[in-house]
Amino acid sequence: MSAAAGRRTVLPPALRRALFWIVVPLAVAALLALVTRGSGRSERPDDPANPEHDGTMALARVLDDRGVDVQVVGSLADLERADTAGVTVLVGDPSDLAPGNVGRVLAASRGADHLVVVGPSSRQIEALGVPVSTRTTSSVGRLEAGCESPLVRPGDALTASTALYRARPGAEGVRVCFPQPGSAADAPAGSTGPAGAFVTVPAADGRPETTILGAREILRNGQIRESAHAGVAVRALGRDDRLVWYL
């Protein structure tokens, strides 16, 4: 073998990272082409076994391809039995989760590395004990990243309809990403920050670092190829080796 044939080209780290996040949307597109041709295993919205427009099968398969062990649990009791030590826990659909049961979710996630809650209500936010409040109006336009976060890149954008959340007065270390332009103007007394679609709160008092995601649609097959939806979803849910996905 010649020296040229045995030589391996090593790309700079920044270029490797850039190429990776170009490849993710392409991988999602390819998987969508496959899963939408298959027979649906679930019709439940947001279910990783649902290949339709409102399912999340493409995202689950991309995470699996990245080496993330995705464990889906369908009840609160199953979540409490799951091993959540050092993992990411996703509460994908809290719409039927009574505020009184939020404490059980927190207890089950106590040893987790990261808790992600999609579209919680104001009462659920209160029960989570995070210094975040909901904004009464939602956003349907394009939102730019507008923050510094390991889960969000400077050029990211969201184009899905989303609920909006903001840090409460005096909150420390809260990152508000994808802010709604002009939302700082209607901030409550004592707060000057904007309301955004992706809010991360530091760990505290037995609660892991918690991300509030207002844009449910960015996880779904129908919109995950749009804008930076795939990259944001994979970074938020794929940072640990395991993901416990509670529906």
Side-chain angles (χ1 to χ4, degrees), residues 155-173:
D156 286 348
L158 300 183
T159 55
S161 174
T162 180
L164 297 170
Y165 304 87
R166 60 162 41 97
R168 288 182 179 166
E172 296 183 359

Side-chain angles (χ1 to χ4, degrees), residues 133-153:
S133 60
T134 58
R135 188 176 186 238
T136 54
T137 57
S138 60
S139 171
V140 294
R142 179 183 176 91
L143 299 179
E144 305 293 340
C147 70
E148 294 184 5
S149 168
L151 303 179
V152 176
R153 299 289 185 263

Side-chain angles (χ1 to χ4, degrees), residues 37-234:
R37 288 200 297 265
S39 58
R41 290 182 289 170
S42 171
E43 295 181 354
R44 180 178 178 177
D46 304 306
D47 194 325
N50 181 352
E52 303 302 327
H53 182 88
D54 60 353
T56 55
M57 181 180 282
L59 173 58
R61 290 196 176 182
V62 169
L63 290 167
D64 182 70
D65 286 347
R66 288 198 63 203
V68 178
D69 179 12
V70 180
Q71 177 186 356
V72 179
V73 295
S75 70
L76 188 51
D78 288 339
L79 175 63
E80 291 173 321
R81 286 190 290 266
D83 178 10
T84 60
V87 310
T88 294
V89 174
L90 168 65
V91 182
D93 182 10
S95 58
D96 293 330
L97 185 64
N101 285 332
V102 173
R104 293 175 62 185
V105 171
L106 288 173
S109 308
R110 185 174 297 274
D113 175 58
H114 188 204
L115 173 64
V116 181
V117 185
V118 180
S121 67
S122 57
R123 292 184 64 196
Q124 290 166 339
I125 287 284
E126 290 284 347
L128 282 169
V130 292
V132 172
S133 60
T134 58
R135 188 176 186 238
T136 54
T137 57
S138 60
S139 171
V140 294
R142 179 183 176 91
L143 299 179
E144 305 293 340
C147 70
E148 294 184 5
S149 168
L151 303 179
V152 176
R153 299 289 185 263
D156 286 348
L158 300 183
T159 55
S161 174
T162 180
L164 297 170
Y165 304 87
R166 60 162 41 97
R168 288 182 179 166
E172 296 183 359
V174 177
R175 295 189 181 102
V176 178
C177 299
F178 304 104
Q180 171 70 45
S183 60
D186 63 9
S191 177
T192 57
F198 188 102
V199 179
T200 301
V201 181
D205 300 327
R207 172 185 47 76
E209 179 178 271
T210 301
T211 294
I212 306 300
L213 173 62
R216 180 189 310 276
E217 286 80 4
I218 76 167
L219 308 181
R220 291 177 170 175
N221 300 328
Q223 288 207 27
I224 196 166
R225 288 181 293 178
E226 304 297 325
S227 301
H229 296 180
V232 173
V234 170

